[in-house]
């Protein structure tokens, strides 16, 4: 039993001992929201503008779990009663930061599962939620030991980010923000917004969009009529001119951010606000160099993983004084890490949650997971999850395929996907060892 559970842990974390063959993934993550940008839906404009989810009516944190363990896993349970105004809304459970894969059960019904513990997972649970009684949620993490007492004694964090929130049935499902500078010093803000009608009838509503300069000036307000049949989505393409954008360009030295809200208006009611921040300026990769606003950037890179927002603020100030301008974490970070790097001015090399030391020198097909096509779906899912959740952050200067884990077919494919998804930013892989699937050879430092 212990050996089987150890192999299960290897599947979940893409890590393994060096002597036993890895099991192949059998299923993909189930009943999760499509890969999308990470954002929060608010009910009040003021809390949306401030990013203050703690005081918004739409946010329900999970602060305490009961814990039990058996031979199948560690079970973290909590109960909640949904707020009254969540009736007939899409209720989402957000999980993040588990040390392993996890399965979600609501009132005895299995909702879904996720294997990538490095990025957020969101599960739509409204079909199993009772409005007039406590609802019991159980999040099960497979054991990496067959001794339940040892599992509970494990001091590694289990779930560092877990909360509930709701969206209206006429909602913003996803969005992408981009910017461009024009020769006359003005700018253009681009947005693609996926809107959804999850109600049971056709509906007409408005997608609204406002933008504020770094100085707090209203740049523009736009409203677009939308008509959707029941159960359908559409993508709205938005372009907005922004005058004087060249004077407010974002860089690590001068992190000037534009802010705004996407919101849904249905008749006289505003159903939700989704705030965003963005910066003007171009990142490009050409002739083996990263360019920011047309000028070469010489990155000084610190290897760093965040612990708390307050510690990150202090560390960014300390790093900047020491001459660092780039953070390269070992895995995807909490949402506030990217928000603070945007606001305080630090470039980020975002890294996929991939790392294994299993037979990394065996370059035969199937020898190492990185050169085993049966693992491609897992490698690709983790790479895409990393990309989509942080793609709207201006601080992203490059991306990394993962920790050094050998090389081969799967990393070739994820490299090509990233370069196609974002041709302007280089892709780095420290385990490429001179092969073509790494654009830059960077030597990060570990600051004191």
């Amino acid at each position: 039993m212990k050996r089987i559970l150890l192999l299960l842990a290897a599947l979940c974390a893409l890590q393994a001992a060096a002597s036993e063959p890895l099991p192949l993934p059998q299923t993909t993550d189930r009943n999760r929201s499509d890969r999308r940008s990470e954002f929060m839906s608010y009910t009040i404009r003021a809390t949306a503008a401030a990013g203050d989810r703690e005081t918004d009516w739409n946010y329900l944190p999970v602060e305490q779990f009961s814990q039990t363990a058996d031979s199948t896993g560690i079970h973290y349970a909590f109960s909640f009663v949904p707020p009254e105004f969540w009736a007939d809304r899409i209720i989402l459970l957000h999980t993040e930061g588990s040390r392993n894969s996890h399965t979600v059960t609501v009132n005895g019904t299995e909702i879904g599962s996720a294997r990538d513990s490095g990025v957020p997972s969101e599960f739509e649970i409204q079909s199993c939620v009772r409005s007039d009684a406590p609802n019991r949620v159980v999040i099960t993490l497979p054991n990496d030991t067959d001794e339940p007492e040892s599992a509970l004694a494990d001091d590694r964090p289990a779930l560092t980010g877990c909360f509930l929130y709701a969206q209206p049935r006429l909602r913003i499902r996803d969005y992408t923000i981009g910017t461009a500078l024009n020769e006359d010093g003005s700018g253009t803000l681009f947005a693609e917004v996926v809107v959804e009608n999850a109600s049971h009838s056709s509906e007409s509503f408005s997608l609204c969009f406002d933008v504020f300069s770094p100085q707090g000036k209203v740049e523009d307000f736009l409203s677009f009529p939308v008509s959707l049949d029941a159960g359908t989505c559409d993508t709205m393409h938005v372009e907005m001119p922004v005058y004087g954008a060249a004077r407010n360009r974002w860089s690590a030295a001068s992190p000037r951010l534009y802010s705004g809200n996407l919101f849904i208006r249905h008749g006289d009611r505003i159903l939700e606000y989704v705030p965003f921040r963005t910066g003007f300026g171009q990142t490009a990769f050409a002739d083996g160099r990263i360019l920011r606003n047309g000028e070469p950037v010489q990155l000084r890179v610190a290897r760093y993983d965040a612990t708390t927002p307050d510690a990150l603020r202090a560390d960014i100030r300390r790093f900047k004084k020491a001459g660092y301008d780039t953070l390269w974490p070992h895995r995807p970070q909490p949402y506030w890490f990217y928000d603070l790097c945007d606001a305080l001015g630090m470039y980020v090399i975002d890294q996929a949650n991939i790392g294994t030391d299993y037979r990394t020198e065996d370059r035969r097909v199937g020898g190492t997971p990185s050169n085993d096509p049966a693992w491609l779906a897992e490698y690709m899912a983790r790479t895409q999850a990393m990309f989509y959740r942080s793609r709207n952050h201006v601080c992203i200067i490059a991306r990394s395929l993962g920790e050094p884990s050998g090389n081969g077919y799967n990393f070739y494919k994820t490299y090509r996907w990233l370069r196609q998804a974002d041709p302007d930013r280089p892709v780095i892989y420290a385990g490429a060892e001179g092969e073509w699937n790494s654009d830059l050879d960077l030597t990060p430092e570990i600051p004191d």
Side-chain angles (χ1 to χ4, degrees):
M1 175 63 74
K2 184 173 183 178
R3 181 178 175 188
I4 294 172
L5 292 169
L6 281 169
L7 292 176
L8 180 59
L11 168 63
C12 300
L14 286 183
Q15 296 173 339
S19 59
E20 294 295 336
L22 288 172
L24 298 179
Q26 299 298 315
T27 60
T28 56
D29 295 349
R30 291 176 290 121
N31 195 31
R32 293 180 51 185
S33 295
D34 294 339
R35 299 300 186 195
R36 60 178 183 170
S37 307
E38 185 175 12
F39 62 87
M40 183 66 187
S41 172
Y42 293 83
T43 57
I44 303 171
R45 175 180 282 274
T47 54
D52 183 9
R53 60 179 65 182
E54 298 288 340
T55 59
D56 194 273
W57 299 342
N58 206 35
Y59 176 76
L60 191 61
V62 179
E63 297 174 335
Q64 291 185 334
F65 295 94
S66 64
Q67 300 181 29
T68 58
D70 55 29
S71 60
T72 65
I74 312 172
H75 310 283
Y76 296 87
F78 68 93
S79 296
F80 77 99
V81 176
E84 289 185 8
F85 80 94
W86 281 15
D88 199 36
R89 290 168 70 91
I90 299 169
I91 301 175
L92 296 109
L93 171 66
H94 177 110
T95 63
E96 185 174 356
S98 71
R99 62 172 177 257
N100 212 332
S101 65
H102 52 279
T103 300
V104 174
T105 301
V106 178
N107 294 327
T109 300
E110 184 176 321
I111 295 294
S113 62
R115 283 203 301 271
D116 187 351
S117 60
V119 294
S121 300
E122 291 189 341
F123 304 88
E124 296 182 7
I125 65 172
Q126 66 276 1
S127 62
C128 295
V129 170
R130 300 184 294 259
S131 61
D132 56 351
N135 296 272
R136 180 174 173 81
V137 178
V138 179
I139 303 171
T140 298
L141 281 62
N143 279 340
D144 50 14
T145 173
D146 59 356
E147 300 294 335
E149 294 79 8
S150 299
L152 287 175
D154 193 331
D155 60 1
R156 293 176 297 169
L159 289 166
T160 57
C162 186
F163 60 88
L164 294 145
Y165 72 103
Q167 286 192 272
R169 290 191 175 274
L170 305 179
R171 65 167 174 167
I172 294 166
R173 186 173 182 84
D174 197 6
Y175 74 94
T176 305
I177 295 286
T179 62
L181 287 172
N182 305 318
E183 292 183 358
D184 63 358
S186 66
T188 303
L189 190 149
F190 305 91
E192 291 187 354
V193 185
V194 181
V195 289
E196 180 181 19
N197 174 14
S199 69
H200 301 294
S201 62
S202 299
E203 294 285 353
S204 295
F205 55 98
S206 296
L207 169 68
C208 303
F209 190 100
D210 58 27
V211 176
F212 297 83
S213 73
Q215 294 77 31
K217 175 187 173 183
V218 178
E219 293 289 343
D220 210 341
F221 168 83
L222 300 175
S223 179
F224 302 90
V226 182
S227 295
L228 288 177
D229 292 335
T232 63
C233 296
D234 197 5
T235 301
M236 309 298 292
H237 299 272
V238 180
E239 289 190 17
M240 178 184 291
V242 178
Y243 300 101
R247 298 191 300 271
N248 287 315
R249 288 183 294 186
W250 187 97
S251 68
S254 300
R256 299 185 181 98
L257 288 173
Y258 286 75
S259 61
N261 286 289
L262 304 168
F263 52 102
I264 298 292
R265 184 188 296 275
H266 188 227
D268 295 331
R269 296 176 57 218
I270 295 178
L271 302 184
E272 72 171 346
Y273 294 93
V274 173
F276 67 87
R277 290 185 176 183
T278 192
F280 277 87
Q282 268 73 53
T283 297
F285 181 68
D287 300 324
R289 298 184 302 174
I290 297 177
L291 306 177
R292 183 69 188 170
N293 300 323
E295 298 295 328
V297 178
Q298 298 296 326
L299 303 181
R300 188 177 179 198
V301 183
R303 267 298 201 179
Y304 180 82
D305 293 301
T307 54
T308 67
D310 288 343
L312 177 60
R313 289 187 187 94
D315 287 339
I316 286 178
R317 296 187 186 99
R318 178 167 59 89
F319 291 160
K320 289 171 79 76
K321 287 182 180 178
Y324 295 98
D325 60 3
T326 306
L327 300 182
W328 184 353
H330 292 86
R331 62 193 66 85
Q333 301 291 290
Y335 77 93
W336 44 260
F337 171 88
Y338 305 96
D339 286 349
L340 286 173
C341 288
D342 286 342
L344 300 179
M346 287 294 280
Y347 297 121
V348 172
I349 300 171
D350 208 12
Q351 180 163 298
N353 187 33
I354 296 174
T356 179
D357 58 5
Y358 178 76
R359 296 172 64 174
T360 56
E361 301 302 319
D362 187 348
R363 293 300 301 274
R364 295 175 299 174
V365 174
T368 173
S370 300
N371 200 37
D372 187 344
W375 280 92
L376 176 60
E378 185 79 15
Y379 276 63
M380 190 64 74
R382 289 169 182 249
T383 301
Q384 292 175 344
M386 175 268 297
F387 171 83
Y388 283 120
R389 65 84 61 103
S390 64
R391 60 181 167 171
N392 289 324
H393 287 275
V394 67
C395 62
I396 303 298
I397 196 79
R399 296 181 177 87
S400 168
L401 299 182
E403 288 292 283
S405 305
N407 206 4
Y409 180 77
N410 296 333
F411 279 132
Y412 301 154
K413 298 291 283 188
T414 56
Y415 169 87
R416 287 190 180 278
W417 188 90
L418 282 172
R419 288 311 313 271
Q420 183 177 18
D422 186 356
D424 294 330
R425 287 169 177 79
V427 175
I428 301 167
Y429 179 46
E433 297 184 349
E435 292 194 65
W436 56 269
N437 59 323
S438 184
D439 297 320
L440 289 174
D441 184 13
L442 290 179
T443 304
E445 303 175 45
I446 302 177
D448 295 332

